[in-house]
Amino acid sequence: MPNDGSLRITPRPVRRQVEDRLREAIVSGRFMPGDHLSDRMLCDLFGVSRSVIREAVRLLEAEGLVDVVPNRGPFVSFLSPAEATQIYEVRAVLEALAGRGFAERASDAEISELRGVFEELAAAGPAADRVALLGLKRRFYEVLLRGCRNAYVARMLDQVLNRNSQLRATTLSDPERLPHTIAEMRRIVEAIERRDHEGTWEACRDHVMQAARVALRILNQQAREQAEASRARASAAE
């Protein structure tokens, strides 16, 4: 019987667990852009030491999910319209690659699983909780990335989707967006069910570009409002 330790089960480090749970809290919209991630609050939330929290925050800062402001601490990152444009450009290509790979290589069971998640999302409707909607979209992409059978595309798109999470929350804040999202995702699923590789590519790319159009309109409006508020504060201080 080999005794090299290769089959031994080892628990994940606490820091890794905190990192994963904090990332999920940001991606799911529990923590929104601009929220202050104070050491005390995170220590109480996760029940760990300040050193563990700071290491997890440092790693999420490297991913762009957190900004650490000198003398103020860490905050959930905001995305500027320029940054959002770049993210959507990259996401459009990666998502189209993942969709085409899924149409080519996914099993029939995975296609049925994708259809099932989509039907849950379609049935949720605009009255559904935003966090629940984001969770359903997350599950949709988990199936898509697993079934595309391209580990590099899956890894890169997963990272982009993490960075893109607050943008998905932004687009869902538009009450008119959800029906269009469902129609666009239906087109993706139906192209996959036909094993239409190029049709899936186009449907995935179009879905991302439509989401980008809505998100950038909202972000540009927010940027204008923030600029006006800054000018008003500066005038009041004079």
Side-chain angles (χ1 to χ4, degrees), residues 167-179:
L167 295 173
R168 290 206 299 274
T170 297
T171 58
L172 287 174
S173 69
D174 183 343
E176 298 180 0
R177 174 60 189 157
L178 184 59

Side-chain angles (χ1 to χ4, degrees), residues 65-208:
L65 292 173
V66 172
D67 287 328
V68 177
V69 181
N71 302 318
R72 296 185 62 200
F75 294 80
V76 179
S77 298
F78 280 101
L79 276 175
S80 70
E83 290 172 315
T85 298
Q86 294 173 42
I87 288 173
Y88 275 116
E89 286 176 353
V90 174
R91 179 185 159 194
V93 175
L94 289 173
E95 195 161 317
L97 282 169
R100 185 168 66 186
F102 192 94
E104 291 175 353
R105 296 185 285 271
S107 67
D108 290 344
E110 287 168 329
I111 292 176
S112 295
E113 184 180 2
L114 192 75
R115 164 63 78 169
V117 177
F118 165 74
E119 292 297 347
E120 285 187 58
L121 180 63
D129 179 71
R130 183 190 62 195
V131 173
L133 291 173
L134 288 170
L136 286 169
K137 288 209 73 176
R138 185 78 179 169
R139 284 174 53 200
F140 184 91
Y141 283 109
E142 286 172 355
V143 178
L144 189 75
L145 294 180
R146 176 172 15 103
C148 77
R149 303 289 189 275
N150 186 320
Y152 293 97
V153 168
R155 189 178 306 121
M156 288 186 286
L157 182 55
D158 187 59
Q159 185 172 358
V160 169
L161 289 172
N162 282 341
R163 192 71 179 96
N164 191 224
S165 62
Q166 60 187 264
L167 295 173
R168 290 206 299 274
T170 297
T171 58
L172 287 174
S173 69
D174 183 343
E176 298 180 0
R177 174 60 189 157
L178 184 59
H180 295 286
T181 295
I182 292 171
E184 291 155 16
M185 294 178 72
R186 186 184 304 279
R187 181 183 166 203
I188 293 170
V189 172
E190 290 177 350
I192 286 171
E193 290 173 334
R194 296 193 304 270
R195 299 284 186 177
D196 180 355
H197 310 159
E198 296 309 313
T200 304
W201 170 285
E202 291 297 332
C204 286
R205 186 178 179 280
D206 287 350
H207 169 56
V208 175

